Amino acid sequence: MSPEERLARLQQEMTRPPFHHWLAPEAVKAEKDRIEIRLPAARPEFCHSLEPALIHGGVIAALIDIAGYAVVAVEQESPAPTISMTIEFLRPAPATELTALAILRRLGRSVAHADIEIRADDKLVALGRGTFAAKGEKYK
Amino acid sequence: MSPEERLARLQQEMTRPPFHHWLAPEAVKAEKDRIEIRLPAARPEFCHSLEPALIHGGVIAALIDIAGYAVVAVEQESPAPTISMTIEFLRPAPATELTALAILRRLGRSVAHADIEIRADDKLVALGRGTFAAKGEKYK
Amino acid sequence: MSPEERLARLQQEMTRPPFHHWLAPEAVKAEKDRIEIRLPAARPEFCHSLEPALIHGGVIAALIDIAGYAVVAVEQESPAPTISMTIEFLRPAPATELTALAILRRLGRSVAHADIEIRADDKLVALGRGTFAAKGEKYK
Amino acid sequence: MSPEERLARLQQEMTRPPFHHWLAPEAVKAEKDRIEIRLPAARPEFCHSLEPALIHGGVIAALIDIAGYAVVAVEQESPAPTISMTIEFLRPAPATELTALAILRRLGRSVAHADIEIRADDKLVALGRGTFAAKGEKYK
């Protein structure tokens, strides 16, 4: 896959699902085993509270799911349904741009493993890790 | 706390955060160490795909976070920031009413543990488990 | 499978691996989607400390792995390599008999999900949850 | 803390618990927010099977618990009971020297987060992540 094809695939992953129409994650970068996406604007409906303005954990969880799925799906050029996922919330996330970096740790025959880091204004706010269905397996 | 007070607290948890204005989870039941909430309508923007109409994993993850937080917050009558959370997706979730049952497994001095089950049309679609900051501890 | 066959399979799972020769877990019960095993004696080498005598987290983690694997392996009558596993330590575990109850939550085509509860003297001390490779899949 | 003091602390963590007398993990390195330990010899009782000779998942889980606890305990100079832990098994682990690298990702006021990587003969075989009780908090 060329770098352009990778990025095009990532963009497709970001725009296709109806849920993403609402959340509006954007493709930033797509390299081998490594993608980056972002939520450029922290809209009020992403928040747990407004004063102080803090992002809701559910939005962070959703972003982790999307980024992990995407790094596997782009690599294997096919859907990668999430099997399981863990999230650690390191600190409150200010309502600013959020970025998600996803790294493919292992692409096995039927399961893939990915790590995800969420940053708000370049500060690490959450860690994610997930297992995803690998190519050629309709996992259930 | 009387049953009415518990339910009133749960309703408050469901309505206060701006993110919930969008998601619109509803309080169903609040008992000691056990609450139930639901998303009555699977709106298109909750979906990963429309044909077939399947709920996005990010929406399920958010619902797990909300339900786990709520069972702890209602019990201890104070906020219960999520520390960590794990999710297992058991099967695709059809775009129908979703219910989340959260059970408090342990309320410790600084950490609480809760289990969450997500059902779509009474069929179990996902399992959640989380640790939450217990009362009196500003956890970070 | 008859109840006797199930129990015989569970006993086999408990005795075959060399690690189990050291740990010495015992089969207690094997029902459909549900098994129970135990460590009858808390030997000093299972402990994190001796005064007070508390079981080491690593021994509890190992017992969770063994019980989760076993409930899947007995059900599908074939090995069930652990893919991922989460553990919540609810309270210190006194150095007494430990029991592990494992419940199969979902046996899918390529992945199985199981829950595990660890009790010391009938008191819940830890929760486990795992995904395991389902039958017919050599998962990596 | 001087580098020598850190390493001495790590060595102490490796030798004190009775369970470690059996497992025999060794301190390799201790830097700020980063420690390394190893199991130099894969003894038969560490194995799931002998032909092929593969390490049991329970031993890997125990090593993850020990390494995560240690990186927090050395940093905060006090015990760091494990609250929760997740493990991903990436591939079968051959019965050879195992190393565990633990990295402290966040040391909060009441909870610490650490990542752990397990290698067998320099090949990554498992990923761990955990939350641990932070200093000054008796966590339950």
Side-chain angles (χ1 to χ4, degrees):
Chain A
M1 245 185 305
S2 71
E4 292 73 24
E5 281 169 328
R6 277 183 196 278
L7 191 61
R9 278 199 163 269
L10 182 59
Q11 279 161 342
Q12 218 174 28
E13 292 294 339
M14 290 310 105
T15 50
R16 200 183 315 135
F19 175 59
H20 297 197
H21 301 175
W22 173 74
L23 190 68
E26 293 179 359
V28 176
K29 245 190 281 191
E31 298 164 4
K32 178 153 177 47
D33 295 343
R34 193 178 180 100
I35 64 104
E36 199 181 316
I37 62 175
R38 71 174 166 191
L39 294 185
R43 309 196 314 256
E45 70 259 38
F46 292 173
C47 290
H48 179 74
S49 65
L50 293 179
E51 295 181 6
L54 298 173
I55 303 288
H56 195 286
V59 169
I60 290 173
L63 194 59
I64 285 173
D65 182 41
I66 292 168
Y69 181 111
V71 76
V72 182
V74 167
E75 195 60 35
Q76 68 184 11
E77 305 182 44
S78 75
T82 311
I83 298 171
S84 68
M85 172 164 101
T86 74
I87 301 168
E88 314 262 317
F89 295 95
L90 302 194
R91 43 174 71 83
T96 180
E97 180 182 84
L98 291 179
T99 59
L101 170 68
I103 298 171
L104 187 56
R105 300 301 301 262
R106 164 93 172 131
L107 180 52
R109 214 179 60 81
S110 68
V111 180
H113 300 264
D115 275 358
I116 301 98
E117 298 185 349
I118 304 292
R119 285 180 172 75
D121 259 349
D122 290 328
K123 203 173 171 78
L124 190 66
V125 295
L127 299 173
R129 181 165 280 169
T131 56
F132 303 86
K135 193 181 189 164
E137 304 288 336
K138 284 204 141 56
Y139 92 93
K140 285 285 154 79
Chain B
M1 247 184 306
S2 72
E4 292 73 23
E5 280 170 328
R6 277 183 195 278
L7 192 61
R9 278 199 163 269
L10 181 59
Q11 279 161 342
Q12 218 175 26
E13 291 294 339
M14 290 310 105
T15 51
R16 201 184 314 138
F19 176 59
H20 297 196
H21 301 175
W22 173 74
L23 190 68
E26 294 179 359
V28 177
K29 245 191 281 193
E31 299 165 5
K32 177 153 179 47
D33 295 343
R34 195 180 178 98
I35 64 104
E36 198 181 315
I37 62 176
R38 70 173 166 190
L39 293 186
R43 308 198 311 257
E45 69 261 37
F46 293 173
C47 290
H48 178 75
S49 66
L50 293 180
E51 296 181 7
L54 298 173
I55 303 288
H56 194 285
V59 169
I60 289 172
L63 194 61
I64 285 173
D65 182 42
I66 291 169
Y69 180 111
V71 77
V72 182
V74 167
E75 195 61 35
Q76 69 185 10
E77 305 182 45
S78 76
T82 311
I83 298 170
S84 68
M85 171 165 103
T86 74
I87 301 168
E88 314 261 316
F89 295 96
L90 302 193
R91 43 172 72 82
T96 179
E97 181 183 84
L98 290 181
T99 60
L101 170 68
I103 297 171
L104 186 57
R105 300 301 300 262
R106 163 94 171 130
L107 180 53
R109 212 177 61 81
S110 67
V111 179
H113 300 265
D115 275 358
I116 302 99
E117 298 186 350
I118 304 292
R119 285 181 173 74
D121 259 348
D122 290 328
K123 203 173 172 76
L124 190 66
V125 295
L127 299 173
R129 179 165 282 169
T131 57
F132 303 86
K135 194 182 189 163
E137 305 287 338
K138 284 203 139 58
Y139 92 91
K140 284 286 155 78
Chain C
M1 243 184 310
S2 72
E4 292 72 23
E5 280 169 328
R6 278 182 195 278
L7 191 60
R9 277 199 165 269
L10 181 59
Q11 278 161 341
Q12 218 174 27
E13 291 294 339
M14 291 309 105
T15 51
R16 201 184 314 135
F19 176 60
H20 298 198
H21 301 174
W22 172 75
L23 190 68
E26 293 180 359
V28 176
K29 245 191 277 192
E31 298 165 5
K32 177 155 179 43
D33 294 342
R34 193 180 180 98
I35 64 103
E36 198 182 316
I37 63 175
R38 71 175 165 189
L39 293 185
R43 308 196 315 255
E45 68 260 37
F46 292 174
C47 290
H48 178 75
S49 65
L50 292 180
E51 295 180 8
L54 298 173
I55 302 288
H56 194 287
V59 169
I60 290 173
L63 194 60
I64 286 173
D65 182 43
I66 292 168
Y69 181 110
V71 76
V72 182
V74 167
E75 195 61 35
Q76 69 185 10
E77 305 182 44
S78 76
T82 310
I83 298 170
S84 68
M85 172 164 101
T86 74
I87 301 168
E88 314 262 315
F89 294 96
L90 302 194
R91 44 173 71 83
T96 179
E97 181 183 84
L98 291 180
T99 59
L101 171 67
I103 297 171
L104 186 57
R105 300 301 301 261
R106 165 88 172 135
L107 180 52
R109 214 178 59 81
S110 68
V111 180
H113 300 263
D115 275 358
I116 302 100
E117 298 185 349
I118 304 292
R119 286 180 171 75
D121 260 347
D122 290 327
K123 203 171 172 77
L124 190 66
V125 295
L127 299 173
R129 181 164 280 169
T131 56
F132 302 86
K135 194 181 190 165
E137 304 289 336
K138 281 202 143 56
Y139 92 94
K140 286 282 154 78
Chain D
M1 245 184 307
S2 71
E4 292 72 24
E5 280 169 328
R6 277 183 196 278
L7 191 61
R9 278 199 164 269
L10 182 59
Q11 279 161 341
Q12 217 173 28
E13 292 294 339
M14 289 310 105
T15 51
R16 202 183 314 137
F19 176 58
H20 297 197
H21 301 173
W22 173 74
L23 190 67
E26 294 179 359
V28 176
K29 246 192 278 193
E31 298 165 5
K32 177 153 179 46
D33 295 342
R34 195 180 178 98
I35 63 103
E36 198 180 317
I37 62 176
R38 71 175 166 189
L39 293 186
R43 308 195 317 253
E45 68 260 38
F46 292 174
C47 290
H48 178 75
S49 66
L50 293 180
E51 297 181 6
L54 298 173
I55 303 287
H56 195 285
V59 169
I60 290 172
L63 194 60
I64 285 174
D65 182 41
I66 291 169
Y69 180 110
V71 76
V72 182
V74 167
E75 195 61 34
Q76 68 184 11
E77 305 182 45
S78 75
T82 311
I83 298 171
S84 67
M85 172 165 100
T86 73
I87 301 168
E88 314 262 316
F89 295 96
L90 302 193
R91 45 173 69 83
T96 179
E97 180 183 83
L98 290 181
T99 60
L101 170 69
I103 297 171
L104 186 57
R105 300 302 299 263
R106 164 90 172 133
L107 179 53
R109 214 178 60 83
S110 67
V111 180
H113 300 265
D115 275 359
I116 302 99
E117 298 185 349
I118 304 292
R119 285 180 171 77
D121 258 349
D122 290 326
K123 204 175 172 76
L124 190 66
V125 295
L127 299 173
R129 180 166 279 169
T131 57
F132 303 85
K135 194 181 189 167
E137 305 287 336
K138 283 205 140 58
Y139 92 93
K140 285 285 154 78

